Amino acid sequence: MSHVATGKLFKATELALIADVSTRWNSTLLFLRRLDEKREAVKEIMARHLKIPCLTPGEWLIIKFIIRLLEKFNTVTDKLSADKEATIHRVHFYMNGLVRHLESVRDALLKLDFSSFHIENPFDEVILAMDSELSRVLGYVIDDCNPKFDAVYIASTFLHKKLRLTLPQRLSSLASRWLSLKNIEWYEEPTQDKHIPVTCHT
């Protein structure tokens, strides 16, 4: 927006749009959230003062789904960035939550008829890429069949009296066995390598 349009928006809403900064991924979310929040004022300013076409209903719909897609990631970032408490017990819970979130957004998108807005669904490849990247980067946290799986995360969750209830029985048993073996390692001289037998269920 121009300085004039920004001034008009601030006068109408007492808020300005938030700058989208390339070095801060969540600035895109904050920008789009504010844009959607002040949608009517922005539409009026674009039409009356900038003399340019406003976004189409389909484009506003895309913005809403981008916000919905990114909100969960922003929440998880905030929760795991706490500097006054440990957060390792939350990692498995939140990473699984992100996977379920992507599935939820994908299901919601399937119910929409983008053709009625004369646009194609722009999210399929994006969600697929995000899901793939989550698996690549964090598979060792959330997938016990991953060759690099680290049981310390589910063990930390298991030790939390509330979050342990979010673990399926199979992972609770795995965490319990891992802690038992670690307890032996911590308090006794290890005599041999001990491994937890893991059976993957697909």
Side-chain angles (χ1 to χ4, degrees):
M1 271 192 173
S2 67
H3 291 298
V4 173
T6 299
K8 295 286 185 182
L9 179 64
F10 187 81
K11 184 177 180 179
T13 66
E14 297 186 349
L15 291 170
L17 294 182
I18 298 172
D20 185 6
V21 182
S22 60
T23 55
R24 292 177 60 87
W25 76 265
N26 65 341
S27 67
T28 300
L29 169 62
L30 299 177
F31 164 73
L32 292 176
R33 189 194 288 163
R34 177 65 58 81
L35 180 65
D36 186 57
E37 179 185 347
K38 301 305 175 185
R39 173 177 176 175
E40 294 306 318
V42 169
K43 288 167 64 176
E44 181 180 355
I45 290 170
M46 290 179 71
R48 293 181 57 185
H49 301 286
L50 298 181
K51 308 296 183 183
I52 58 176
C54 190
L55 299 177
T56 66
E59 289 169 333
W60 283 112
L61 179 65
I62 289 173
I63 287 174
K64 281 187 174 295
F65 267 92
I66 293 175
I67 294 170
R68 179 173 175 178
L69 183 61
L70 296 181
E71 284 279 17
K72 184 72 173 181
F73 285 85
N74 191 54
T75 299
V76 170
T77 299
D78 288 342
K79 293 292 186 181
L80 294 182
S81 298
D83 57 5
K84 294 184 179 180
E85 60 177 337
T87 58
I88 190 172
H89 60 284
R90 298 177 179 173
V91 173
H92 185 271
F93 173 76
Y94 281 126
M95 293 306 103
N96 267 300
L98 289 178
V99 173
R100 292 193 299 271
H101 171 65
L102 291 178
E103 293 173 351
S104 173
V105 174
R106 185 188 293 115
D107 290 343
L109 287 166
L110 289 175
K111 298 176 183 178
L112 289 176
D113 180 13
F114 280 92
S115 63
S116 64
F117 294 96
H118 307 291
I119 57 175
E120 295 183 359
N121 181 351
F123 291 98
D124 285 342
E125 292 187 6
V126 172
I127 292 178
L128 183 63
M130 293 174 76
D131 194 26
S132 176
E133 188 68 1
L134 269 178
S135 178
R136 184 186 71 82
V137 176
L138 296 166
Y140 73 98
V141 173
I142 58 180
D143 180 10
D144 57 299
C145 293
N146 188 296
K148 297 181 180 180
F149 178 69
D150 190 343
V152 68
Y153 295 98
I154 60 168
S156 300
T157 303
F158 181 76
L159 290 173
H160 192 275
K161 63 181 181 180
K162 291 184 178 179
L163 287 182
R164 71 187 304 171
L165 300 177
T166 66
L167 291 174
Q169 182 59 44
R170 178 174 56 83
L171 291 185
S172 292
S173 298
L174 179 59
S176 179
R177 283 182 286 150
W178 185 87
L179 287 166
S180 296
L181 291 176
K182 282 298 177 183
N183 186 59
I184 294 173
E185 291 180 12
W186 289 331
Y187 294 103
E188 296 181 8
E189 287 293 329
T191 56
Q192 60 182 0
D193 291 335
K194 300 178 177 63
H195 301 283
I196 305 174
V198 177
T199 302
C200 295
H201 299 273
T202 57

